[in-house]
């Protein structure tokens, strides 16, 4: 029989053992019911009555129905066979949701499968149908959402949270479909014409009082499936490329396709980067360098009219000064318009489809294509690639035999040839859909936002919102790239700098070297350009996720974990211009900082002696009681460090760095002694209830028992010992 059963990971709080797990069925297949019924019936009359009842049920039933009444599970269509309808849909399932108060639906404002970097979280209250009403939640610069989407997270009326994660297989994928009335379905599809066979993971779900536990469980269950184990890489088990630990620079936002992306222009800005006082360590050559015609790829060599010497000049210079690494942009399927008819990719078969020339959807040709891409990139002296336009591949192959299978093979070849075989770093871009999510076994970085646009306030608000919330969906397999930014952006330069710091992903500039703003750059790194990073990516506080932060005066608050059990918290005003908002940072918010530490082991506990809250911009702080109120007058943020108090000490860290305690290696607390090891010198700030003293440095008094020591920045791996006597107040 073709079983459709639920697998159930052994989470202790479920109270379900392995034997019970195997006995759980989401939907009992009619054939299994038929067999069991036949074996226990004693009379032909009873048996035939049951068969008639089954037949009646079959006639009246169009779709199976999901109910998420259990703590969690994964639904897989096993040993199944499906033929697509005219839209490439293989099967549709009704969903009956538990009662909920509000939720987030991750979807584009285009029609599936054309998702790029525009998969936003769309807030709804009361019903999913609200998304499409005139009063529905709207994101700045976007119209109403698409009815097809990916992850859904719900705040239930019983006080718990439900996470629903659509899954993918080698030859099909799934999506959620919400109609105008708010009814929800899951659709299995491949957007193609072929009949498909095999096991089809459909959906993973988990419910918990802890939202982050629910989202983690949904991912963990999916990644543990035999069908997805080799496809879905766990972030905590991957090797992070060395160059992404340092500050970078990209050609795109400032220069796009213009003369900077030529041999002469590139070397001009290379020299300016080297001459600047900013510690930029890598350079990414974005779109515009290729040998193309009409945005159709000819080969993987640089355009001869733009780079007459190829990459030789760049190879000769790299490593002489600050810039140690270089990266190169590639489009996933040739270029924006595919591959040129007169291409030079010999030995690789092509197909003409939807007026585009594409690599034949054959494993051997696909492998050759990505091997050629990786080989020429490595020969050019590059250390990493940014691979763009990935999600559009499903659209480009739509209507072929099995587009999902073709894209899966391409993503596998990309991961194997670029990352595993050659150890090149990878930034996945325009890659926000379910197929891409479950095809990152080796690569560690994916863009989680639409393009940053310099000087554009509505875009900046949308960008901040999308970047943090999308991490809840994508951040279990990759580090969330928030895109490049301009330090000189008068609208959002400072806000972007902090959000990039909190991302735990690559941080890279794009403004002219002559326009760099040091106060938005130097707090990101140590003096050698190495980024000061959180322990895990920042995500919104649980209490901040299910609120309308664009149309209502609600702060959007995020947090990230730092070294030594400190936490960074940023509160944003994303409402309409000129709107003042008020809010508060609560001691309870500290618990949420651990949300993306993997494997997830629960929320942090508030330290026994409490917390010290430090407001970074004002360089002031206080012992945090229950909460601290704030006001934000317009598009801006309030940025805080929460530090645990131990033995009446609290270490803030280097106050000249955004992630202050991230610059601290180790701390030893004693009743009257504090020993700290710093990564390098700077303005070291700490709290002591009693007056401190040091034999090494002068200590400067600040407000509310805050103290500062100015340590020369040139010093590295600095040990600081501070003493005190409790008789001093």
């Amino acid at each position: 029989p073709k079983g459709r059963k639920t697998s159930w990971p052994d989470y202790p709080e479920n109270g379900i053992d392995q034997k019970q797990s195997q006995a759980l069925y989401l939907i009992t297949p009619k054939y299994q019911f038929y067999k069991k019924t036949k074996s226990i019936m004693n009379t032909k009359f009873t048996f035939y009555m049951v068969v008639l009842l089954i037949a009646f049920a079959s006639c009246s039933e169009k779709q199976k129905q999901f109910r998420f009444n259990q703590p969690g599970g994964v639904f897989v269509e096993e040993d199944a066979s499906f033929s697509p309808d005219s839209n490439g849909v293989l099967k549709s399932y009704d969903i009956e949701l538990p009662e909920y108060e509000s939720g987030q639906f991750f979807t584009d404002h285009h029609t599936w499968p054309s998702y790029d970097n525009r998969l936003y979280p769309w807030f709804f209250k009361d019903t999913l149908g609200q998304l499409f009403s005139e009063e529905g939640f709207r994101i700045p610069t976007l119209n109403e959402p698409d009815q097809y989407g990916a992850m859904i997270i719900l705040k239930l009326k019983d006080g718990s949270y439900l996470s629903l994660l659509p899954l993918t297989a080698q030859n099909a994928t799934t999506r959620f479909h919400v109609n105008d009335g708010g009814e929800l379905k899951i659709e299995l599809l491949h957007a193609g014409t072929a009949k498909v066979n095999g096991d089809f993971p459909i959906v993973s779900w988990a419910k918990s009082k802890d939202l982050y536990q629910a989202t983690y469980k949904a991912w963990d269950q999916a990644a543990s499936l035999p069908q997805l184990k080799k496809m879905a890489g766990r972030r905590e088990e991957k090797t992070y490329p060395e160059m992404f630990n340092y500050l970078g620079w990209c050609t795109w936002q400032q220069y796009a396709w213009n003369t900077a992306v030529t041999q002469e222009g590139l070397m001009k800005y290379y020299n300016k980067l080297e001459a600047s006082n900013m510690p930029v360590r890598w350079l990414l050559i974005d779109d515009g360098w290729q040998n193309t015609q009409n945005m159709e790829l000819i080969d993987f060599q640089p355009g001869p009219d733009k780079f007459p010497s190829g990459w030789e000049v760049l190879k000769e210079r790299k490593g002489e000064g600050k810039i140690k690494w270089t990266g190169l942009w590639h489009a996933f399927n040739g270029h924006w318009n595919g591959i040129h008819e007169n291409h030079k990719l010999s030995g690789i078969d092509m197909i003409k489809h939807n007026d585009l020339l594409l690599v034949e959807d054959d494993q051997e040709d696909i492998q050759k294509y990505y091997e050629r891409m990786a080989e020429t990139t490595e020969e050019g002296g590059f250390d990493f690639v940014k691979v763009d336009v990935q999600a559009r591949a499903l659209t480009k192959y739509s209507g072929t035999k099995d587009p999902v299978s073709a894209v899966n093979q391409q993503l596998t070849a990309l991961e194997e040839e670029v990352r595993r075989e050659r150890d090149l770093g990878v930034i996945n871009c325009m890659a926000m859909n379910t197929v891409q999510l479950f095809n990152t076994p080796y690569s560690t970085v994916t863009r989680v936002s639409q393009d940053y646009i310099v000087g554009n306030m509505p875009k900046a608000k949308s960008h901040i919102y999308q970047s943090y919330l999308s991490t809840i969906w994508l951040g279990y397999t990759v580090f969330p790239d928030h895109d490049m930014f301009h330090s000189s952006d008068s609208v959002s330069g400072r806000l972007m700098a902090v959000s990039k710091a909190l991302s735990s992903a690559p941080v890279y500039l794009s403004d002219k070297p002559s326009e760099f703003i040091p106060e938005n750059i130097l707090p990101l790194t140590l003096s050698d350009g190495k980024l000061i990073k959180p322990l895990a990516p920042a995500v919104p506080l649980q209490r901040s996720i299910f609120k309308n932060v664009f149309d209502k005066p609600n702060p959007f608050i995020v947090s990230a974990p730092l070294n030594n059990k400190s936490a960074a918290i940023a509160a944003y005003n994303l409402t309409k211009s000129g709107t003042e908002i008020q809010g508060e940072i609560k001691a309870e918010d500290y618990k949420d900082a651990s949300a993306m530490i993997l494997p997830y082991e629960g929320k942090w506990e508030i330290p026994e002696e409490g917390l010290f809250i430090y407001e970074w911009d004002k360089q002031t702080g206080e012992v945090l009681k229950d909460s601290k109120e704030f006001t934000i007058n317009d598009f801006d943020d309030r940025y805080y460090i929460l530090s645990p108090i131990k033995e009446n000490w609290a270490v803030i860290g280097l106050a000249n760095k955004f992630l202050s305690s991230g610059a601290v290696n180790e701390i030893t607390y004693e009743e009257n002694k504090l020993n700290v090891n710093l990564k390098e010198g700077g303005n070291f700030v700490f709290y002591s209830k009693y007056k401190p003293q040091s034999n090494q440095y002068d200590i400067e008094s600040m407000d509310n028992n805050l103290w500062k020591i100015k340590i020369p920045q040139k010093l590295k791996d600095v040990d600081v010992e501070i003493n005190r006597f409790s008789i001093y107040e």
Side-chain angles (χ1 to χ4, degrees), residues 559-563 565-569 590 593 604 640-644 661:
S559 68
L562 306 179
N563 286 4
K565 281 290 186 80
S566 291
I569 295 186
Y590 173 81
W604 278 354
Y640 304 93
I641 303 293
L642 294 183
S643 300
S661 64

Side-chain angles (χ1 to χ4, degrees), residues 197-214:
N197 306 290
D199 292 346
F200 299 91
I202 305 297
V203 64
S204 177
W205 79 94
K207 187 164 61 172
S208 173
K209 294 287 186 180
D210 177 354
L211 169 67
Y212 311 120
Q213 180 78 344

Side-chain angles (χ1 to χ4, degrees), residues 8-16 71 207-209 213-214 217:
W8 216 289
D10 188 18
Y11 293 108
E13 64 268 33
N14 287 355
I16 299 168
K207 187 164 61 172
S208 173
K209 294 287 186 180
Q213 180 78 344
K217 275 188 182 181

Side-chain angles (χ1 to χ4, degrees), residues 158-292:
D158 66 5
S160 62
Y161 299 90
L162 176 65
S163 174
L164 306 176
L165 181 66
L167 306 179
T168 196
Q170 287 292 342
N171 51 2
T173 189
T174 56
R175 68 184 181 189
F176 290 121
H177 179 196
V178 183
N179 65 20
D180 290 338
E183 295 172 323
L184 181 65
K185 300 180 188 297
I186 300 176
E187 293 178 346
L188 175 68
L189 72 164
H190 64 11
T193 60
K195 182 178 180 178
V196 291
N197 306 290
D199 292 346
F200 299 91
I202 305 297
V203 64
S204 177
W205 79 94
K207 187 164 61 172
S208 173
K209 294 287 186 180
D210 177 354
L211 169 67
Y212 311 120
Q213 180 78 344
T215 55
Y216 172 69
K217 275 188 182 181
W219 160 258
D220 184 51
Q221 292 168 170
S224 300
L225 285 174
Q227 297 89 349
L228 295 177
K229 266 187 175 180
K230 292 183 179 180
M231 299 168 65
R234 297 174 183 271
R235 171 166 58 84
E236 69 272 26
E237 296 176 356
K238 296 181 181 180
T239 302
Y240 192 74
E242 184 185 4
M243 72 286 300
F244 297 149
N245 287 317
Y246 291 82
L247 181 67
W249 184 83
C250 178
T251 60
W252 179 253
Q253 265 300 316
Q254 182 65 41
Y255 300 108
W257 291 293
N258 76 12
T259 54
V261 193
T262 63
Q263 183 171 307
E264 182 181 355
L266 185 64
M267 295 316 300
K268 172 184 175 182
Y269 288 103
Y270 187 103
N271 292 334
K272 288 188 175 184
L273 287 169
E274 287 283 10
S276 78
N277 292 324
M278 298 300 104
V280 173
R281 302 300 309 281
W282 56 263
L283 176 151
L284 170 59
I285 303 171
D286 213 287
D287 193 6
W289 61 269
Q290 297 85 352
N291 186 11
T292 61

Side-chain angles (χ1 to χ4, degrees), residues 599-641:
Y600 182 67
E601 295 181 352
K603 296 190 177 188
W604 278 354
E605 294 294 328
I606 297 175
E608 200 172 301
E609 294 182 50
L611 296 161
F612 192 91
I613 184 168
Y614 178 78
E615 189 166 356
W616 195 89
D617 290 288
K618 294 181 179 179
Q619 295 195 27
T620 60
E622 61 193 71
V623 175
L624 182 62
K625 302 301 182 183
D626 294 325
S627 64
K628 178 177 175 58
E629 296 180 349
F630 61 79
T631 300
I632 311 178
N633 296 321
D634 208 334
F635 178 46
D636 204 349
D637 70 4
R638 294 289 179 269
Y639 181 55
Y640 304 93
I641 303 293

Side-chain angles (χ1 to χ4, degrees), residues 41-170:
M41 293 300 166
N42 294 322
T43 66
K44 288 184 179 180
F45 173 78
T46 308
F47 171 70
Y48 287 124
M49 286 297 294
V50 170
V51 171
L52 286 171
L53 287 170
I54 293 172
F56 177 78
S58 298
C59 294
S60 62
E61 178 189 69
K62 294 182 179 180
Q63 296 158 325
K64 295 297 181 186
Q65 188 173 65
F66 288 91
R67 295 182 182 88
F68 302 103
N69 298 323
Q70 300 296 335
V74 178
F75 176 58
V76 177
E77 285 274 16
E78 295 181 332
D79 190 24
S81 179
F82 298 113
S83 296
D85 64 15
S86 58
N87 295 315
V89 176
L90 303 166
K91 191 173 180 67
S92 181
Y93 308 85
D94 288 334
I95 293 178
E96 183 179 306
L97 294 171
E99 292 187 340
Y100 59 88
E101 295 179 2
S102 55
Q104 292 279 7
F105 181 37
F106 290 77
T107 185
D108 204 335
H109 63 116
H110 297 301
T111 299
W112 192 97
S114 65
Y115 300 157
D116 298 320
N117 284 341
R118 296 170 178 82
L119 216 67
Y120 278 84
W122 295 76
F123 170 76
F124 57 92
K125 192 171 178 60
D126 300 326
T127 172
L128 274 157
Q130 188 194 55
L131 290 168
F132 312 110
S133 69
E134 291 184 4
E135 298 78 28
F137 174 79
R138 294 294 177 266
I139 292 169
T141 74
L142 299 182
N143 299 316
E144 71 176 39
D146 184 31
Q147 292 183 317
Y148 301 102
M151 186 175 185
I152 296 175
I153 49 178
L154 298 172
K155 184 178 182 180
L156 304 181
K157 288 189 175 180
D158 66 5
S160 62
Y161 299 90
L162 176 65
S163 174
L164 306 176
L165 181 66
L167 306 179
T168 196
Q170 287 292 342

Side-chain angles (χ1 to χ4, degrees), residues 485-654:
F485 80 107
H486 277 59
S487 66
S488 54
D489 188 341
S490 60
V491 170
S492 65
R494 155 62 175 69
L495 278 74
M496 288 292 162
V498 170
S499 70
K500 312 306 178 190
L502 293 174
S503 73
S504 192
V507 177
Y508 46 121
L509 306 164
S510 189
D511 36 7
K512 293 180 180 179
S514 60
E515 296 178 358
F516 285 158
I517 303 297
E519 52 264 40
N520 289 339
I521 300 173
L522 294 177
L524 290 162
T525 76
L526 300 174
S527 55
D528 64 354
K530 190 168 188 177
L531 298 169
I532 302 171
K533 301 180 72 173
L535 300 178
V539 291
L541 299 179
Q542 182 171 291
R543 67 181 174 91
S544 192
I545 289 175
F546 300 98
K547 291 183 179 178
N548 186 337
V549 297
F550 291 127
D551 301 319
K552 305 291 183 182
N554 294 314
F556 182 59
I557 310 175
V558 306
S559 68
L562 306 179
N563 286 4
N564 306 299
K565 281 290 186 80
S566 291
I569 295 186
Y572 296 92
N573 181 349
L574 303 181
T575 54
K576 296 175 183 177
S577 295
T579 303
E580 180 182 278
I581 66 169
Q582 295 178 337
E584 58 183 352
I585 304 299
K586 302 178 181 180
E588 289 288 314
D589 296 336
Y590 173 81
K591 296 180 177 181
D592 288 1
S594 62
M596 295 302 292
I597 296 177
L598 302 180
Y600 182 67
E601 295 181 352
K603 296 190 177 188
W604 278 354
E605 294 294 328
I606 297 175
E608 200 172 301
E609 294 182 50
L611 296 161
F612 192 91
I613 184 168
Y614 178 78
E615 189 166 356
W616 195 89
D617 290 288
K618 294 181 179 179
Q619 295 195 27
T620 60
E622 61 193 71
V623 175
L624 182 62
K625 302 301 182 183
D626 294 325
S627 64
K628 178 177 175 58
E629 296 180 349
F630 61 79
T631 300
I632 311 178
N633 296 321
D634 208 334
F635 178 46
D636 204 349
D637 70 4
R638 294 289 179 269
Y639 181 55
Y640 304 93
I641 303 293
L642 294 183
S643 300
I645 299 174
K646 295 183 180 180
E647 300 287 353
N648 291 308
W649 303 96
V651 173
I652 310 305
L654 293 186

